Each structure stands twice: as C-alpha cells, then as structure tokens.
Amino acid sequence: MDKKLEELKREYKNTPIPKDLNKVVQKAIKQKEKKPLRPNSKWIIGLAAAVVIFMVSINTSPAFAKSLSKIPVVGSFIEVLTVLEIHVNENNYDADIKIPQVNNFENKEFENSLNQKYLDENQKLYESFTKEIEEMKKDGDGHLRIDTNYEVMTNDDLIFSIKRTVVETQASAYTTNKFDTIDKQKQIMLTLPILFKSDQYIETISEIIKKQMREQMENNPGNVYWVSDAGIEKLPEDDFFDQIDADQNFYINENHKLVIAFNEYEVAPGYMGAVEFVIPTKKIENILVGNKYIH
Amino acid sequence: MRKNKSEDKVIAFIIENQENFYRLAFSYVKNAADALDIVQESIEKAILKKDLLRDNQSVKSWFYRIVVNSSLDFLRKNKRMSLVDEDTLEYYRSGQNDSYQDIDLRRSLEQLPIKFKSVIILRFFEDLKIDEIAEVLNENKNTIKTRLYKALELLRVEMNEEH
C-alpha cells in the first residue's frame, strides 16, 4: 500500500477510544427490545409534601412577534405570542412551560376559544406535574422535567397551522405533539373529516403510510417502524400500526400538502422520535372534498 | 423468550468489534460524545432489526451499514456535512496535473466528499472487501470500484494493489 495511505491508516487506527465505550456498548445491548414504558406509568408512592417555588412571568417575546408581523400576507394575519411562561426549578424538578396566544382573528369568539384551550391544556399539565412531584417527594427520590413549546408550521393567506409540543422527562424523554390547523378566511378549525368526502380517508391514508414505512425500512436499515410485512415479525400482531385515528394528528404544510403526524412510540421505537409522513396529494385527490387547502 | 442464534451472533460480533465501530463513527462526526451516541444507537437498531438479517448476509457489512447510515443521518440532522460541489471536485481532479504538491494528506482526506471518504476508510482502514463495501454503501461493485479509484486519484495516491 502507498506510504501516504499507510500513514493515514495509522492515524485512523490511533483514534483515541473513550474508556466508557465498553460501558455504552454493554448498556445498549442490555436495553434491547425494551419498548420504553410511558414514563407516567411508574413512580407513584410516597410521603410528605414540600412547597414548589414557581415564577410566572408575562413574556411577549417581541422579537418573535416582530418577525411574524413581517410576513407579507393579504388579509388578516395572525400573530402568535408567548403570553405566559411558567418556570419551576427545584432540585430534581423542572418545568418550563410556554403558553401561546393567537391574536388578530376577526372572529374574537374563535380566538378566545383557542387561547382558552391552550391555557387549559397547559394548566392541566402543570397541575399534574405538581401532583406528581409531591408524590415523588414523599418517596424521597426521582426527578421530573416538563417542557412545553409551540411552533407555527404554516402561516399564509389561507392556512394557519400550529404545533404544541410537550416533553416529559423522567428516565427517558417522552414527546407528545398536538396540532391545530385553521382556515384563516373562514376562521374555522380544519379536521380530517372536514377535508375528506367520507371516512374512506382512514384506510387510504393508512395504506399510503404503511407503504412509506416499508420503503424507508428497505432503504435504510436504521429506520424501524412497527409495520407488518417489513421483516420484524417477532413483534406481537397487536403492536403493528394498523390504521390512523379518524382524528389523527395532522397539519397542512407550507406547500399545502397533508402531513400526518405520530407521537413518539406510537408507530416506531423511541429513537425514531415523533415521526411524520407527507401524503402525496395525487394519491388522495379523489377523496378530498376539494383542492382548496391541499393541492 | 426466543433468543435465537442470530442474536448471539450479532451481539458477539458487536462486542468484539466495538472499537472499529467507534473509530468509523468518529471518522464521520469527529467528536467523541457524538460517536459514542452513534455506536449506541446503531447497536439498538441492529438488535431491533436483527431478524431482517438474511442467512447468507454477513453480519459485518450489515452492521457497518447501520453505523455508516447512522453517522450520515447524524451529519444530515446537524448539518455539519461539508459537501463539496462539482467545481471544487473538478479543482481537485485537475490538481494532479499542476504542481501543488504538499496538501496536507489528512486534510485532503477530510475534504473529500463523504462518498469518496467512505470507500477509502472502509477499504483501507477497516480492510473490507469490495463486495462488502458494496453492501455497506448499498451500491453495486462496479460503482464502488470506480469510486475507490476516483477517491485515490483525488488523494493522488498510487494504487498498486489488486482487489
């Protein structure tokens, strides 16, 4: 072999090996096949409560609001602000909660109902967080962290899609997303049943997704979905993805394509994260009510 | 619990070759913590998918493929991949005719497009055979040969060995 190559090879072989490598390898092998439990199902026993110190700060993130206002849109544009942040920071217990508020809707009633919903879901989360840590403290051990955030997926003349994310961390993190997609002109919430002529969409979309899952698994050995006929027969039948829910998480992306979203562990192992599938419009145009939103 | 032979085979292979996987991952991500993550992730993926391993397929190229893909996914996600466009490539290609002589060799390996770097590492540093590399990179043998030849040309290294 060429001298230069030998020199390169020597250098390559001299890559320092961290001393935890073996530990990491052993751990990864032991963790095999354990489908992580949803963190919530553990940790409940206890004694003695303590006080949670928390801070509520009103925050209107002006930079973010400003960047949104710059989007040139015809007609009314919707702004999203963080109106309320809750921070808890106490030993092993952390919460970082950001509550969005939408405004500039013509239909104020609709606007209020959305904002109330965002407030309620975060409040509920916060309450269950405080309850859970009280119980954990009785036990004297454990840690818990909750982060919530949101992201505007689409905001154009017609469509406003917003994603809210909750990450709960105990031993491992568990992410859940929720989406709202709104027709800005009519100021109504879009749902899958509204978008499609009949509930045929459930089957059609499910089949499209299964096909995409199998293709991805074929093309990349690192991608795993719990789907039948893809070589992971070992899983019990019930664990396979069968159909989307009638009100499955979805949003409409900036290209006006339908995107179906799943939460972590819903259809794939944890390292795959919360997965999404873009549905090719061609394959669903026959069953869509029209091509106004999705094209 | 159904603990089959293929699982034992995979686990034994992983434990035995962990340092090679680590080095390979490191050569892509250039960072110990990330390389460890990739090794861990690859093992978890491999164990989950071991049933997809065909009887006649070598565990070696199958697992290397998982490590390479995980590394590439990581680079993609973290946008650290320094892609080289055709022009730059052309520049290096034509370089053999003029008189730049002392490009630091290591730097020149780092500057190779990932697909060329991969074949060099797998062929010469990890000592994989051409058909094993073809399996790892999911390409046919001829593509790998061409790519290897081009990679060496880009590195301006003489190829004087049979394959």
Side-chain angles (χ1 to χ4, degrees):
Chain A
M1 207 196 301
D2 190 283
K3 228 174 66 199
K4 291 186 206 161
L5 264 182
E6 262 170 46
E7 198 180 301
L8 277 173
K9 180 175 182 173
R10 202 167 40 242
E11 223 172 293
Y12 178 87
K13 292 284 183 197
N14 281 337
T15 310
I17 304 293
K19 53 180 193 307
D20 349 346
L21 176 64
N22 192 41
K23 231 193 286 165
V24 170
V25 169
Q26 297 292 349
K27 215 176 126 206
I29 289 170
K30 288 208 185 77
Q31 280 194 348
K32 58 182 178 170
E33 292 172 346
K34 230 195 280 159
K35 236 199 222 178
L37 297 167
R38 294 180 49 158
N40 270 343
S41 54
K42 326 169 203 167
W43 313 98
I44 306 171
I45 340 165
L47 262 147
V51 189
V52 185
I53 309 145
F54 71 95
M55 246 168 45
V56 177
S57 64
I58 304 271
N59 174 308
T60 43
S61 176
F64 183 52
K66 213 167 140 197
S67 72
L68 267 179
S69 319
K70 275 189 209 144
I71 299 169
V73 282
V74 190
S76 71
F77 58 88
I78 293 168
E79 281 187 342
V80 189
L81 307 170
T82 304
V83 285
L84 196 58
E85 287 191 28
I86 302 173
H87 300 286
V88 177
N89 188 337
E90 194 206 337
N91 295 331
N92 294 328
Y93 312 110
D94 297 279
D96 195 343
I97 293 175
K98 287 199 183 74
I99 305 172
Q101 185 182 65
V102 294
N103 51 33
N104 277 344
F105 276 83
E106 267 166 56
N107 182 342
K108 287 295 161 201
E109 211 176 304
F110 184 57
E111 182 181 301
N112 288 340
S113 74
L114 280 178
N115 289 332
Q116 192 59 46
K117 179 168 101 173
Y118 300 149
L119 199 62
D120 287 349
E121 61 190 25
N122 280 293
Q123 192 176 354
K124 232 171 92 195
L125 194 73
Y126 177 72
E127 278 163 10
S128 79
F129 171 78
T130 49
K131 220 172 110 196
E132 212 160 324
I133 61 175
E134 268 176 35
E135 296 198 337
M136 282 162 69
K137 278 180 187 164
K138 290 183 206 164
D139 198 27
D141 197 13
H143 71 99
L144 179 64
R145 162 167 197 100
I146 289 189
D147 296 274
T148 77
N149 215 331
Y150 59 89
E151 188 183 344
V152 176
M153 311 303 284
T154 308
N155 192 5
D156 60 21
D157 300 1
L158 181 63
I159 299 282
F160 175 76
S161 276
I162 182 171
K163 168 166 93 171
R164 284 104 60 218
T165 302
V166 178
V167 184
E168 284 177 63
T169 314
Q170 275 182 341
S172 58
Y174 177 64
T175 308
T176 33
N177 292 318
K178 286 180 183 164
F179 297 85
D180 281 336
T181 295
I182 290 152
D183 175 339
K184 287 164 76 169
Q185 289 161 6
K186 289 195 190 150
Q187 313 233 326
I188 50 165
M189 181 81 78
L190 297 176
T191 63
L192 289 175
I194 288 181
L195 293 170
F196 290 95
K197 290 179 199 159
S198 71
D199 59 13
Q200 169 64 33
Y201 73 87
I202 297 176
E203 204 186 316
T204 308
I205 292 177
S206 302
E207 288 310 312
I208 295 170
I209 290 173
K210 283 189 229 172
K211 198 167 152 248
Q212 289 189 15
M213 288 174 169
R214 289 182 193 118
E215 279 167 8
Q216 284 190 36
M217 286 175 74
E218 179 74 45
N219 294 336
N220 183 346
N223 285 0
V224 176
Y225 296 100
W226 294 320
V227 63
S228 60
D229 301 324
I232 46 170
E233 290 82 7
K234 183 175 58 36
L235 273 184
E237 191 81 11
D238 294 352
D239 284 0
F240 285 132
F241 166 63
D242 179 32
Q243 281 194 328
I244 58 165
D245 293 332
D247 58 350
Q248 183 70 42
N249 267 338
F250 79 98
Y251 64 93
I252 295 175
N253 70 15
E254 285 172 335
N255 300 321
H256 285 244
K257 300 276 180 274
L258 178 66
V259 183
I260 299 289
F262 294 94
N263 282 324
E264 208 175 355
Y265 302 119
E266 205 174 344
V267 295
Y271 65 77
M272 296 288 291
V275 293
E276 296 182 351
F277 295 88
V278 180
I279 308 300
T281 306
K282 252 195 158 150
K283 295 198 169 147
I284 49 170
E285 59 194 358
N286 292 333
I287 54 170
L288 280 168
V289 170
N291 58 5
K292 181 177 170 194
Y293 305 115
I294 296 170
H295 46 77
Chain B
M1 270 304 286
R2 194 145 49 97
K3 209 179 176 191
N4 50 29
K5 256 191 272 164
S6 77
E7 173 162 342
D8 294 340
K9 204 168 79 177
V10 170
I11 289 177
F13 174 78
I14 290 170
I15 292 176
E16 201 174 312
N17 294 286
Q18 46 175 284
E19 298 196 351
N20 293 344
F21 307 142
Y22 174 82
R23 272 192 287 263
L24 182 61
F26 186 89
S27 74
Y28 286 99
V29 300
K30 298 286 164 212
N31 167 316
D34 294 337
L36 279 177
D37 280 353
I38 284 165
V39 170
Q40 183 191 345
E41 198 185 305
S42 303
I43 294 172
E44 287 170 7
K45 286 177 186 172
I47 289 173
L48 253 167
K49 290 191 82 170
K50 63 182 184 301
D51 295 351
L52 292 178
L53 189 60
R54 292 186 299 274
D55 287 340
N56 56 355
Q57 200 179 6
S58 94
V59 180
K60 188 176 175 187
S61 33
W62 176 74
F63 196 80
Y64 272 102
R65 183 170 174 192
I66 295 178
V67 175
V68 170
N69 283 338
S70 304
S71 305
L72 293 179
D73 279 350
F74 176 89
L75 290 178
R76 225 170 280 137
K77 270 181 216 147
N78 293 277
K79 302 238 180 340
R80 275 194 227 149
M81 182 149 55
S82 48
L83 280 172
V84 176
D85 59 344
E86 278 302 312
D87 289 342
T88 321
L89 203 60
E90 207 47 55
Y91 169 79
Y92 281 116
R93 205 177 281 148
S94 62
Q96 64 181 340
N97 300 326
D98 53 39
S99 55
Y100 300 95
Q101 238 149 38
D102 292 303
I103 302 177
D104 172 35
L105 195 60
R106 191 161 74 118
R107 244 188 70 219
S108 63
L109 179 67
E110 289 314 320
Q111 283 173 351
L112 283 187
I114 295 261
K115 63 178 188 177
F116 293 119
K117 191 175 120 180
S118 296
V119 291
I120 296 276
I121 289 174
L122 293 171
R123 178 69 193 91
F124 296 107
F125 305 166
E126 291 293 339
D127 295 313
L128 265 61
K129 298 192 196 74
I130 295 286
D131 36 350
E132 287 176 325
I133 300 173
E135 262 185 71
V136 172
L137 300 178
N138 199 23
E139 298 281 0
N140 70 41
K141 263 163 75 175
N142 287 331
T143 310
I144 297 299
K145 278 190 200 162
T146 322
R147 207 177 273 178
L148 189 61
Y149 183 75
K150 205 172 275 173
L152 289 171
E153 198 180 79
L154 292 172
L155 280 178
R156 276 186 277 135
V157 166
E158 294 297 321
M159 183 159 55
N160 46 20
E161 54 119 37
E162 84 296 19
H163 46 247

